[in-house]
């Protein structure tokens, strides 16, 4: 990003980012926040995991990307679902909010230039968007999220499987 900024303006970056996929926290995110870049965080609800509607009973169609995502394969799928259950309990107990709203708020409260993107397949999937506004997370919430992940996810997976193959 710095090399790009030496020759042309840079106003935004679009990394994958959510409660489970946090690789950008070591480099991209600090740089973007320092230079006030708009961060268009895609995958905010981690392919539906953080929607609060995912369960073991969910069947994916043959073309669904989640069939290749290790987070949706056992034993990890159970670990991620357990994490979502605890995150949902935390969101309800502390804010009376859904886990989806909590996951979106978790991104937005990282900085003033943060946005949270996810792919809705129908208008009804946007109904919970309003619930993410008008409140803020505390530092204790971020600590609680980290503790929940340490407790439930023993072999975390990032978004790297979606990247182009290495040559």
């Amino acid at each position: 990003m710095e090399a790009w900024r030496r020759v042309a303006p840079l106003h935004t970056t679009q990394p994958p980012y959510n409660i489970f996929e946090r690789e950008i926290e070591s480099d991209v995110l600090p740089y973007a926040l320092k230079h006030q870049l708009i961060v268009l965080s895609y995958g905010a609800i981690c392919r539906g995991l953080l929607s609060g509607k995912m369960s073991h009973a969910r069947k994916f169609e043959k073309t669904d990307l989640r069939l290749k995502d290790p987070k949706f394969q056992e034993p990890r799928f159970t670990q991620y679902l357990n994490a979502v259950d605890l995150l949902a309990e935390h969101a309800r107990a502390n804010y009376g909010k859904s886990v989806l709203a909590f996951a979106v708020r978790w991104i937005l409260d990282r900085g003033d230039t943060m946005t949270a993107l996810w792919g809705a397949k129908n208008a009804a999937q946007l109904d919970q968007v309003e619930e993410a506004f008008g409140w803020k997370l505390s530092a204790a919430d971020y600590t609680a999220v980290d503790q929940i992940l340490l407790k439930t996810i023993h072999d975390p997976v990032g978004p790297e499987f979606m990247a182009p193959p290495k040559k």
Side-chain angles (χ1 to χ4, degrees):
M1 289 187 291
E2 186 59 35
W4 179 272
R5 287 185 67 220
R6 285 188 215 120
V7 295
L10 180 62
H11 302 286
T12 186
T13 183
Q14 188 175 1
Y17 189 51
N18 57 63
I19 287 174
F20 297 136
E21 299 171 328
R22 298 166 60 173
E23 288 74 13
I24 70 165
E25 290 179 352
S26 64
D27 52 8
V28 172
L29 186 58
Y31 185 90
L33 294 175
K34 177 181 177 183
H35 295 284
Q36 298 182 327
L37 303 178
I38 302 296
V39 180
L40 300 166
S41 307
Y42 74 85
I45 60 170
C46 197
R47 291 162 212 83
L49 269 174
L50 292 162
S51 69
K53 297 182 180 187
M54 191 70 58
S55 74
H56 282 98
R58 177 69 186 263
K59 301 293 179 207
F60 302 108
E61 295 186 26
K62 291 180 183 179
T63 58
D64 195 313
L65 175 66
R66 292 173 285 198
L67 288 174
K68 295 179 181 172
D69 187 333
K71 287 183 286 303
F72 292 83
Q73 299 168 14
E74 291 300 344
R76 288 182 176 125
F77 191 41
T78 294
Q79 294 172 20
Y80 280 93
L81 289 176
N82 290 341
V84 171
D85 288 344
L86 292 176
L87 291 166
E89 286 176 25
H90 180 85
R92 271 191 308 277
N94 292 280
Y95 297 100
K97 303 291 184 182
S98 69
V99 70
L100 186 149
F102 185 86
V104 170
R105 191 79 252 156
W106 182 90
I107 292 170
L108 297 178
D109 287 347
R110 288 291 186 183
D112 293 338
T113 60
M114 300 297 292
T115 59
L117 306 173
W118 73 90
K121 294 188 182 203
N122 60 62
Q125 290 179 337
L126 297 174
D127 289 344
Q128 290 180 291
V129 171
E130 283 187 51
E131 189 184 2
F133 297 99
W135 57 288
K136 298 270 186 198
L137 295 182
S138 69
D141 292 313
Y142 286 93
T143 300
V145 167
D146 291 345
Q147 290 172 344
I148 288 169
L149 299 186
L150 284 172
K151 178 180 178 180
T152 56
I153 301 174
H154 309 293
D155 189 14
V157 177
E160 61 275 358
F161 78 98
M162 291 175 53
K166 295 184 183 194
K167 295 179 182 180

